[in-house]
């Protein structure tokens, strides 16, 4: 699942990513810019401006953190899935999210930041992850809504990133996109079944849509006029579409999907605009978004506690495995 | 912070008859664990029939800065390609 470049409001006035470019070797910079502009891929050992490396490390590691933290709200329902089939599917999906996190951490590591440094940044709160995972999963329908909306928004974001300029990131995106489409379809299927069920089930589906709709729209990040680094990221092909373009695209494809199963998108301002060939929709509550980025989401603390204790409780396993490998290596050498 | 598990590069053979192809990397304490992690990470959907894992530290790569010196000379050796030679139409099977 995707996260857009996240900052909290206090960070908003830091200097733009392009600011350090003056310090770069102008000749190398020109060659680099020309390659990126020609849609060439940049590979790990190629020269790149420091600002490109930094922005990418931030974006890819945030993306990886989001995959890993994203396992928590869904993992919460594995033992309570309503049938064996649903349980199998959910297990496979959560395992996929773990895999996606690993592809992305590996891609970020090629930029020179170690896995441990990234994990530490997440646990200390310096690194952000997608705001969407700081909302609780209260009912089974939330698992449907997450697959349909959250993974749907992620796909919308990730498909263009398969052509992002950094090779390892683009390759990770290709794998992730291939796997993500089952995630969205299984979610929509859950909603479809609930929406066609008893009035209580229908109500549960509608309630989940009501709670997840706006947070899903927030996943695309702040509006374009409030996204200071977008222009630079677009120029470097780290982003391929603006936040608002993707958000609009998501609304346009998702509203008919809701209509088709008799669910109502919770936006009184939502209206088809014949002239634009798109839906007009209401204003997103950006104050809520920034509050969640700051860590004020309903379950933000719970999420981080779960991550940190998994990491700390697993420490002895990591150390023991390393000690075991070391001991075997030593005994092999002694035998030679 | 304790020591990180070393990094391994993962190669998958999609099916017999094809060569192994690089797909990504994993962290693991030893080779056996690297195979297990690679299996879980890179072959969840019938992507292959065989895995290789190689310590990343064991790979020596060419320097991108040398790419021109290494690979560009091939461009002026067009006589290595069959289309360099013009053979009359009526000569068959060549």
């Amino acid at each position: 699942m995707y996260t857009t470049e996240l900052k909290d409001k206090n960070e908003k006035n830091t200097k733009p990513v392009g600011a350090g470019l003056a310090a770069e070797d102008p000749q190398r910079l020109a060659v680099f810019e020309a390659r990126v502009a020609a849609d060439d891929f940049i590979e790990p050992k190629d020269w790149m401006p420091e600002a490109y490396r930094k922005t990418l490390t931030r974006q890819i590691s945030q993306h990886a953190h989001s995959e890993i933290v994203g396992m928590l709200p869904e993992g919460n329902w594995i033992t309570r899935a309503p049938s064996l089939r649903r349980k199998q599917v959910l297990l496979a999906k959560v395992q996929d999210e773990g895999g996606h996190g690993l592809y992305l951490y590996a891609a970020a590591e090629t930029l020179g930041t170690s896995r441990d440094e990234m994990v530490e940044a997440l646990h200390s709160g310096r690194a952000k992850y997608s705001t969407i995972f700081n909302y609780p999963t209260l009912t089974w329908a939330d698992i449907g809504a997450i697959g349909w909306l959250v993974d749907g928004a992620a796909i919308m974001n990730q498909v263009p990133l398969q052509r992002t300029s950094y090779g390892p990131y683009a390759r990770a995106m290709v794998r992730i996109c291939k796997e993500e489409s089952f995630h969205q379809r299984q979610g929509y299927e859950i909603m479809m079944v609930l929406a066609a069920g008893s009035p209580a089930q229908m109500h549960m589906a509608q309630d989940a849509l009501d709670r997840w709709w706006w947070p899903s729209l927030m996943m695309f990040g702040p509006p374009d006029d409030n996204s200071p680094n977008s222009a630079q990221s677009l120029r470097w092909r780290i982003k391929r579409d603006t936040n608002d373009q993707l958000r609009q695209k998501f609304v346009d494809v998702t509203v008919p999907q809701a209509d088709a199963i008799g669910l109502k998108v919770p936006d009184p301002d939502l209206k088809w605009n014949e002239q634009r060939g798109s839906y007009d929709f209401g204003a997103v509550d950006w104050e809520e978004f920034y509050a969640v980025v700051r860590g004020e989401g309903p379950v933000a603390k719970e999420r981080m506690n779960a991550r940190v204790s998994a990491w700390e409780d697993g420490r002895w396993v990591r150390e023991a495995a390393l000690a075991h490998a070391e001991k075997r290596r030593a005994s092999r050498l002694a035998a030679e | 912070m304790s020591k990180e598990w070393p990094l391994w590069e993962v190669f998958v053979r999609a099916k017999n008859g094809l060569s192994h192809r690089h797909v990504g990397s994993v962290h693991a304490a030893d080779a056996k664990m690297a195979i297990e992690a690679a299996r879980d990470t890179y072959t969840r959907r019938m992507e292959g029939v065989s895995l290789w894992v190689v310590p990343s530290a064991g790979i020596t790569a060419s320097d991108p800065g040398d790419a021109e010196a290494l690979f560009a000379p091939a461009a002026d050796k067009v006589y290595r390609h069959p289309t360099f030679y013009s053979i009359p139409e009526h000569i068959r099977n060549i």
Side-chain angles (χ1 to χ4, degrees):
Chain A
M1 292 180 207
Y2 180 77
T3 172
T4 186
E5 194 193 2
L6 296 173
K7 292 180 172 188
D8 61 38
K9 255 193 163 165
N10 304 330
E11 275 185 276
K12 263 177 38 190
N13 294 326
T14 53
K15 55 184 180 173
V17 279
L21 287 176
E24 301 283 2
D25 175 348
Q27 212 171 348
R28 289 178 126 176
L29 187 60
V31 172
F32 172 87
E33 298 272 5
R35 281 183 61 191
V36 170
D39 273 332
D40 192 3
F41 287 104
I42 304 301
E43 293 295 343
K45 294 180 76 186
D46 291 346
W47 184 87
M48 60 188 84
E50 240 359 85
Y52 177 83
R53 187 184 299 276
K54 236 178 101 183
T55 308
L56 262 180
T57 304
R58 178 187 186 117
Q59 181 173 327
I60 303 174
S61 63
Q62 278 180 358
H63 195 161
H65 297 326
S66 303
E67 301 282 356
I68 298 298
V69 178
M71 297 166 82
L72 297 169
E74 290 183 302
N76 176 37
W77 277 92
I78 289 175
T79 56
R80 293 177 290 162
S83 70
L84 183 58
R85 177 178 179 272
R86 294 285 187 215
K87 185 181 287 203
Q88 275 180 315
V89 169
L90 189 55
L91 263 173
K93 179 180 191 293
V94 173
Q95 190 194 18
D96 271 357
E97 305 299 359
H100 296 176
L102 294 182
Y103 308 154
L104 288 161
Y105 279 130
E109 284 174 83
T110 64
L111 291 159
T113 305
S114 76
R115 178 82 59 94
D116 278 358
E117 285 173 273
M118 287 185 267
V119 169
E120 205 276 320
L122 173 67
H123 292 178
S124 70
R126 274 185 294 122
K128 306 289 179 197
Y129 56 91
S130 185
T131 47
I132 196 85
F133 304 118
N134 285 339
Y135 293 88
T137 40
L138 303 176
T139 72
W140 170 250
D142 288 18
I143 300 305
I146 288 182
W148 173 34
L149 302 172
V150 176
D151 288 274
I155 292 171
M156 207 54 95
N157 260 316
Q158 289 171 162
V159 164
L161 286 174
Q162 295 178 96
R163 293 177 294 117
T164 193
S165 61
Y166 188 56
Y169 192 26
R171 291 192 285 276
M173 281 298 85
V174 170
R175 290 189 64 86
I176 290 175
C177 286
K178 234 189 257 171
E179 300 181 351
E180 204 84 74
S181 129
F182 122 65
H183 297 179
Q184 192 189 16
R185 290 173 69 110
Q186 66 85 34
Y188 189 68
E189 190 201 57
I190 291 174
M191 294 302 261
M192 220 164 62
V193 169
L194 287 174
S198 68
Q201 287 170 320
M202 173 67 176
H203 175 76
M204 192 194 269
Q206 182 61 52
D207 168 63
L209 173 58
D210 290 349
R211 282 181 290 109
W212 290 93
W213 175 255
W214 292 106
S216 298
L217 293 194
M218 292 176 198
M219 281 178 72
F220 296 94
D224 293 347
D225 52 14
N226 207 354
S227 183
N229 294 325
S230 271
Q232 179 67 71
S233 288
L234 284 166
R235 215 156 60 88
W236 277 342
R237 311 282 205 265
I238 294 174
K239 271 172 101 154
R240 311 272 341 202
D241 301 275
T242 73
N243 299 350
D244 286 334
Q245 283 167 347
L246 291 169
R247 192 168 7 250
Q248 179 72 60
K249 220 167 134 187
F250 175 76
V251 171
D252 289 346
V253 305
T254 310
V255 171
Q257 292 168 354
D259 290 344
I261 53 175
L263 295 179
K264 196 173 159 2
V265 170
D267 178 357
D269 297 325
L270 186 78
K271 215 174 94 214
W272 177 252
N273 183 325
E274 195 65 55
Q275 211 172 2
R276 290 198 306 126
S278 267
Y279 284 95
D280 293 333
F281 56 97
V284 176
D285 179 359
W286 292 110
E287 283 313 311
E288 175 181 323
F289 172 78
Y290 285 115
V292 180
V293 171
R294 281 195 304 270
E296 294 167 23
V299 288
K301 283 200 179 65
E302 190 183 320
R303 297 284 184 251
M304 266 316 96
N305 288 343
R307 279 311 312 152
V308 172
S309 57
W311 181 252
E312 291 306 329
D313 294 349
R315 179 184 296 279
W316 71 272
V317 180
R318 294 193 299 277
E319 287 170 358
L322 210 51
H324 177 68
E326 196 49 55
K327 204 166 131 190
R328 284 181 54 124
R329 194 162 33 239
S331 67
R332 227 179 11 248
L333 285 177
E336 274 172 10
Chain B
M1 197 178 290
S2 55
K3 223 175 116 199
E4 245 183 40
W5 285 350
L7 194 65
W8 303 74
E9 298 305 318
V10 179
F11 300 80
V12 175
R13 186 202 294 286
K15 57 181 187 186
N16 286 338
L18 297 177
S19 49
H20 286 76
R21 186 163 163 251
H22 182 243
V23 292
S25 41
V26 292
H27 283 277
D30 59 22
K32 183 165 172 267
M33 188 191 279
I35 289 277
E36 287 164 359
R39 184 247 165 227
D40 286 345
T41 310
Y42 293 103
T43 60
R44 290 195 302 279
R45 287 178 174 75
M46 298 181 291
E47 284 92 340
V49 295
S50 163
L51 280 167
W52 284 353
V53 292
V54 179
S56 306
I59 291 184
T60 307
S62 64
D63 183 341
D66 295 339
E68 207 172 322
L70 286 172
F71 309 114
D76 58 22
K77 295 188 178 62
V78 283
Y79 49 83
R80 288 184 188 275
H81 297 280
T83 47
F84 178 74
Y85 306 91
S86 41
I87 308 284
E89 278 292 319
H90 65 277
I91 311 289
R92 313 299 301 268
N93 298 322
I94 183 163

